[in-house]
Amino acid sequence: MALFEQISGDIQKAMKARDKVRLETLRNIKKVFLEAATAPGANGTVDDAQALKIIQKLVKQGEESAETYKQCNRPELAQGELDQVAVMKEYLPKPLSAEEIEKAVGDIIAQTGASSMKDMGRVMGMANKQMAGKADGKQIADIVRRLLAH
């Protein structure tokens, strides 16, 4: 089942369960999906890869908003954001551990024959494609830098 249909079905379940946080979060995700599908140049649909990127972006925005609310001494607003982030994270694949990322990056370096920092762009391109949705780009970049520096 495509992520778009899954979220649409879960909206109905949240309505029946009267789960306001879940309902609001899922409606927001669906709204962003629809905006992406109808954007100029879009083909009218959102595939799962696009959907995962959208959800990841929303999670990151929610976490940043929560941090801002905490700094402004508004813990109730921060908690609201974190509750929504928790719902969104249910739709993301399980993140890779640092060891798994390091192993995957090591394999990519071996495949490409990368030997220096000059090859970082090529390695990063492959790594981001392989681990999309499963690892943070900054964490991947840090591991690539460390492995290529040796």
Side-chain angles (χ1 to χ4, degrees):
M1 178 187 294
L3 209 46
F4 184 83
E5 284 89 30
Q6 182 183 355
I7 287 178
S8 295
D10 289 349
I11 286 173
Q12 291 178 340
K13 291 176 189 170
M15 279 194 266
K16 289 178 183 172
R18 300 192 192 286
D19 186 343
K20 286 184 178 181
V21 172
R22 184 173 208 76
L23 180 60
E24 182 183 332
T25 303
L26 295 176
R27 280 183 172 162
N28 186 38
I29 292 171
K30 187 173 180 179
K31 176 186 75 90
V32 176
F33 283 176
L34 291 171
E35 288 171 355
T38 58
N43 62 359
T45 60
V46 175
D47 64 10
D48 280 355
Q50 287 175 297
L52 284 175
K53 284 182 182 176
I54 290 169
I55 294 173
Q56 285 175 321
K57 183 179 174 185
L58 291 172
V59 165
K60 188 173 182 179
Q61 286 174 345
E63 289 172 340
E64 289 171 356
S65 295
E67 191 57 40
T68 302
Y69 287 139
K70 284 180 186 175
Q71 290 172 0
C72 294
N73 203 21
R74 297 296 305 266
E76 71 285 355
L77 294 175
Q79 189 57 50
E81 288 288 338
L82 293 175
D83 291 345
Q84 288 190 8
V85 165
V87 171
M88 289 182 227
K89 283 186 175 180
E90 293 173 19
Y91 295 93
L92 295 175
K94 181 184 163 286
L96 296 174
S97 69
E99 294 81 27
E100 291 169 321
I101 296 170
E102 192 163 332
K103 182 185 180 317
V105 168
D107 293 344
I108 291 169
I109 289 172
Q111 286 173 9
T112 59
S115 59
S116 69
M117 290 301 288
K118 286 188 240 172
D119 302 315
M120 184 169 175
R122 196 162 27 123
V123 174
M124 281 299 297
M126 288 181 70
N128 283 331
K129 200 175 269 185
Q130 273 187 19
M131 294 181 260
K134 299 177 190 167
D136 179 51
K138 184 179 180 329
Q139 188 179 17
I140 294 171
D142 291 343
I143 291 173
V144 169
R145 267 190 213 96
R146 187 167 43 82
L147 292 178
L148 286 178
H150 287 106

